[in-house]
Amino acid sequence: MALDHIRNFCIIAHIDHGKSTLADKLLLETNTIQAREMTNNQVLDDMDLEQERGITIKLHAIQMKYLAPDGIEYTYNMVDTPGHVDFTYEVSRSLAACEGAILVVDATQGVEAQTIANLYLAIDAGLEIVPVLNKVDLQSAMIDEVSQQIIELLGCKKEDIIKASAKAGIGIHDVLEAVRLRVPPPSGDVNAPLRCLIFDSVFDSYRGSIVYMRVMEGTIKEGDEIMFMSNKNRYRVEELGTLKMGREKKSQLSAGDVGYLIAGVRNVKDTRVGDTVTHFRNGVATAIEGFKESKPMVFAGVYPQSAEDFAELRDSLDRLSLNDSSLVYEPESSVALGFGFRCGFLGLLHMEIIQERLDREFNQNIVTTVPNVEFRVTTTSGEIILVDNPSAMPEPSRIAKIEEPYIKAQIIVPSEYVGAIMQLANDRRGTYKTTSYLDPTRADIHYEFPLSEIIFDFYDKLKSISRGYASLDYEFIENRESDLVKLDILLNGDPVDAFSTIVHSEKAFEWGKKLCAKLRELIPRHMFEVAIQAAIGNKIIARETVRAMRKDVTAKCYGGDISRKRKLLEKQKEGKKRMKQVGRIEVPQEAFLAVLQITD
């Protein structure tokens, strides 16, 4: 097909602004699917988790045929991108595969943080933006106010904004026409050396890793010998084609096409998002710009509830990583929890999704330790150690400095909540940068935070303070030196590594006191006294005691001399002391998640 008749575009939006619903309606309007095939409300969001949470977790690509009013048939390649901040890198690679982007804004919510973040990614990628004001049929829609926000954000005219309601089917044809008229056709020479951009990959048990790609230059055919430029691995093309509701086999793909590639790749980690595919012979010398390794930001220990299930958990993680190349894990052991894995995640949402999938798809009962970030420790000898597990922190006497990751956060919130949000930000060691107003009722606040301060419950607190109206977007900026200490929890003098955390020195005393108090509620009483202590190095900063269960050994004494009772009590005391020396403290599962329940 001529390049002039191809349009490659994506849809970007904040969570719950109607992106997936609009994508489904575009498929219906172009007869890519029939109404009877709509077995659920979101066709492209086919995972149970996606439908339950109302978010796109895994991006999708699909081809549509659009018959224009002038009688010419156009090929539309749509890439449905994730909306959450954890998956920003996937979004950026999807944008690189397109020439245009439909920007969806909810008429009842207005412009929000991730709307702006993803919009800037699209503008940086040089995409043509088609603004769509969604949910205009609702009574609470603020059409004029939100239109003004879009105009100020994009610098467009009011008539450029398409008013639509994906649920009610309003304005869908206008969106398709705007894509045809405003989004430029792809450029590229079909005779040039092959250069393809990988924007996603999935694993098939029978075919191996299946690559989703956009052909930027050249032509690729079945049987061609190709190479992935990031790892120099060579393969022969077994099958390729375009993506509709299923895979549609083709003999070749040319510049401007979006499709899939099967080449017998055994591991999805070899087909990395953002990598360049070229011919092994007569290929290009330079890769497409923007490729980077996906870097985990949050780390947590994942352990089986029963030690016998360790091998099964390892197999489950192996299989899960085939469909999620951003999941990183390695074996580790804990004195309290036994053998397990230290897993790296893109963010807290990514971690929640992995936990849910392990439970639902693989029936794994797991215990997850407190999530933490990766710290950069410089020792007194000049050695740099990356610490993603508090138990691996060197002794305080060996540490010259500790650096922690910092992020740049953008918070959009109604004006009346600005004071409360700033108070929350200050409590989380935030550094204030700027405030601007999108309109008289909505403020755009910029802060810099340590990542460790926002991975627990910052987003939940932000939502509760603002009654659900605040939105957050953030990106990593750099590592900065901080006054951090390792907080250990001791049970009867023995450190329990699963409870260890790394906290700021100013918060250590309060944190230790609250954690000891929480554990006192959760650890059951034993026949001997259990001392719960919080310590920094050799210094004890907080203590709680779980009192011993005690048998009344003097009950049989109905009178007589006091020395007889004292003798029985002394004998009991000696027995308790021996029991304490050999006794093992029982710690329930919920105690390991106690840190997550501690509030500021």
Side-chain angles (χ1 to χ4, degrees):
M1 177 176 278
L3 289 176
D4 288 348
H5 297 158
I6 296 175
R7 299 289 184 272
N8 297 322
F9 68 96
C10 60
I11 306 177
I12 54 177
H14 188 79
I15 292 169
D16 203 31
H17 276 209
K19 175 169 60 68
S20 297
T21 309
L22 177 62
D24 290 351
K25 281 293 163 43
L26 293 175
L27 297 177
L28 277 172
E29 185 73 17
T30 56
N31 294 316
T32 306
I33 59 171
Q34 303 301 318
R36 63 176 182 274
E37 296 176 69
M38 297 271 297
T39 52
N40 55 56
N41 291 330
Q42 269 104 29
V43 174
L44 295 183
D45 292 349
D46 50 8
M47 282 170 59
D48 290 344
L49 276 170
E50 290 180 316
Q51 288 164 24
E52 283 173 24
R53 290 172 176 255
I55 58 174
T56 301
I57 294 167
K58 195 74 179 156
L59 66 81
H60 298 266
I62 193 161
Q63 188 180 94
M64 300 176 274
K65 297 291 185 182
Y66 172 60
L67 188 64
D70 58 8
I72 298 173
E73 188 178 66
Y74 287 80
T75 297
Y76 283 9
N77 291 308
M78 179 179 70
V79 179
D80 181 31
T81 59
H84 196 274
V85 62
D86 285 5
F87 308 108
T88 301
Y89 176 57
E90 279 195 34
V91 174
S92 71
R93 295 295 80 206
S94 303
L95 296 176
C98 303
E99 281 77 36
I102 298 173
L103 176 71
V104 179
V105 180
D106 188 333
T108 64
Q109 298 281 335
V111 171
E112 299 201 50
Q114 282 160 241
T115 314
I116 298 174
N118 288 342
L119 172 65
Y120 287 160
L121 285 174
I123 291 171
D124 289 345
L127 270 59
E128 181 66 35
I129 310 297
V130 178
V132 174
L133 188 61
N134 195 24
K135 306 186 186 179
V136 294
D137 59 324
L138 299 181
Q139 286 186 344
S140 56
M142 305 174 289
I143 295 172
D144 292 336
E145 295 95 317
V146 179
S147 294
Q148 191 57 40
Q149 290 175 16
I150 296 171
I151 290 166
E152 289 175 10
L153 190 63
L154 290 176
C156 63
K157 297 174 184 174
K158 192 168 184 177
E159 52 268 26
D160 292 338
I161 302 170
I162 300 167
K163 295 178 178 62
S165 171
K167 204 159 196 174
I170 299 167
I172 305 301
H173 183 75
D174 296 338
V175 173
L176 290 166
E177 268 297 286
V179 169
R180 179 177 75 90
L181 297 172
R182 298 190 211 173
V183 175
S187 58
D189 183 358
V190 295
N191 299 313
L194 179 68
R195 195 196 313 231
C196 304
L197 172 70
I198 299 175
F199 60 81
D200 194 19
S201 61
V202 296
F203 189 80
D204 184 287
S205 304
Y206 303 102
R207 308 300 302 271
S209 185
I210 300 173
V211 174
Y212 293 169
M213 64 182 188
R214 155 77 192 273
V215 184
M216 310 301 281
E217 300 272 351
T219 302
I220 183 169
K221 299 176 183 175
E222 210 173 291
D224 285 357
E225 193 173 12
I226 56 164
M227 178 178 73
F228 297 125
M229 294 194 74
S230 67
N231 50 29
K232 307 300 181 191
N233 288 345
R234 294 161 50 187
Y235 296 96
R236 190 168 296 280
V237 178
E238 294 175 4
E239 184 184 319
L240 45 79
T242 54
L243 295 155
K244 294 201 173 176
M245 285 310 291
R247 296 191 291 268
E248 195 171 279
K249 190 175 176 182
K250 301 280 184 185
S251 59
Q252 67 175 44
L253 294 175
S254 302
D257 286 334
V258 173
Y260 71 92
L261 164 72
I262 299 174
V265 184
R266 298 295 173 208
N267 195 333
V268 79
K269 293 191 188 303
D270 290 341
T271 55
R272 296 167 178 165
V273 172
D275 196 5
T276 304
V277 179
T278 189
H279 283 130
F280 177 64
R281 294 181 178 81
N282 305 318
V284 291
T286 55
I288 297 165
E289 290 182 4
F291 170 73
K292 62 180 182 182
E293 297 276 356
S294 59
K295 188 180 186 314
M297 300 291 281
V298 175
F299 296 84
V302 175
Y303 294 85
Q305 281 191 6
S306 172
E308 295 84 40
D309 295 336
F310 172 75
E312 201 176 322
L313 177 60
R314 182 181 57 210
D315 292 342
S316 299
L317 284 168
D318 283 344
R319 286 158 63 193
L320 192 56
S321 68
L322 292 174
N323 280 313
D324 189 348
S325 58
S326 51
L327 172 63
V328 177
Y329 61 96
E330 59 183 29
E332 71 168 5
S333 62
S334 159
V335 175
L337 296 172
F339 291 102
F341 296 89
R342 171 68 33 175
C343 298
F345 308 96
L346 298 176
L348 215 58
L349 175 74
H350 188 215
M351 175 179 156
E352 285 178 36
I353 288 162
I354 295 297
Q355 285 177 270
E356 283 276 354
R357 291 186 69 185
L358 282 171
D359 179 26
R360 292 185 188 200
E361 297 175 26
F362 301 100
N363 203 24
Q364 290 295 307
N365 294 316
I366 58 171
V367 176
T368 309
T369 63
V370 182
N372 60 271
V373 300
E374 187 175 67
F375 299 94
R376 186 183 166 98
V377 180
T378 305
T379 63
T380 48
S381 62
E383 183 187 1
I384 293 174
I385 304 170
L386 297 178
V387 176
D388 59 27
N389 188 346
S391 62
M393 182 68 79
E395 291 296 317
S397 58
R398 288 185 54 217
I399 298 172
K401 67 174 181 179
I402 304 175
E403 294 170 292
E404 63 177 331
Y406 265 72
I407 55 103
K408 179 169 66 179
Q410 178 186 30
I411 303 167
I412 294 180
V413 65
S415 307
E416 62 263 35
Y417 303 114
V418 168
I421 296 295
M422 285 187 161
Q423 181 61 50
L424 173 65
N426 291 337
D427 292 344
R428 298 304 179 94
R429 297 194 283 135
T431 306
Y432 173 74
K433 289 300 174 185
T434 60
T435 300
S436 58
Y437 284 84
L438 299 170
D439 58 43
T441 63
R442 287 156 65 81
D444 182 4
I445 312 170
H446 290 255
Y447 268 90
E448 288 179 1
F449 289 101
L451 180 59
S452 58
E453 292 286 345
I454 70 163
I455 63 169
F456 283 124
D457 59 349
F458 180 79
Y459 188 68
D460 294 340
K461 282 199 172 338
L462 189 72
K463 284 289 185 185
S464 61
I465 286 171
S466 65
R467 296 184 185 175
Y469 286 110
S471 60
L472 169 73
D473 188 82
Y474 64 86
E475 62 175 303
F476 171 77
I477 40 177
E478 61 182 351
N479 287 301
R480 293 182 188 170
E481 187 176 352
S482 296
D483 183 13
L484 300 166
V485 292
K486 179 188 172 189
L487 181 68
D488 284 315
I489 297 296
L490 314 178
L491 297 182
N492 280 352
D494 296 324
V496 181
D497 54 355
F499 289 131
S500 298
T501 55
I502 297 170
V503 295
H504 195 266
S505 59
E506 290 177 2
K507 293 190 172 186
F509 174 73
E510 185 187 0
W511 192 262
K513 192 175 176 183
K514 285 181 177 178
L515 186 51
C516 286
K518 192 75 182 175
L519 289 173
R520 185 170 66 85
E521 296 171 15
L522 294 169
I523 292 176
R525 291 175 69 183
H526 292 64
M527 294 303 293
F528 50 87
E529 191 177 84
V530 178
I532 306 167
Q533 296 169 306
I536 298 172
N538 296 321
K539 183 181 177 185
I540 304 297
I541 61 168
R543 171 176 172 139
E544 294 283 349
T545 304
V546 179
R547 292 179 59 195
M549 285 191 291
R550 185 175 170 213
K551 180 183 176 184
D552 188 0
V553 291
T554 61
K556 59 188 175 183
C557 300
Y558 295 102
D561 190 56
I562 188 68
S563 60
R564 188 173 170 216
K565 291 184 180 180
R566 191 171 291 135
K567 186 178 178 184
L568 288 168
L569 290 169
E570 289 295 328
K571 190 177 179 183
Q572 184 187 47
K573 193 175 177 183
E574 287 297 316
K576 294 257 186 199
K577 198 177 284 183
R578 284 198 305 275
M579 190 186 292
K580 199 171 182 178
Q581 287 170 359
V582 298
R584 188 171 182 273
I585 299 168
E586 180 193 338
V587 182
Q589 303 279 351
E590 56 267 23
F592 295 105
L593 298 177
V595 181
L596 293 172
Q597 298 164 8
I598 294 174
T599 54
D600 292 336

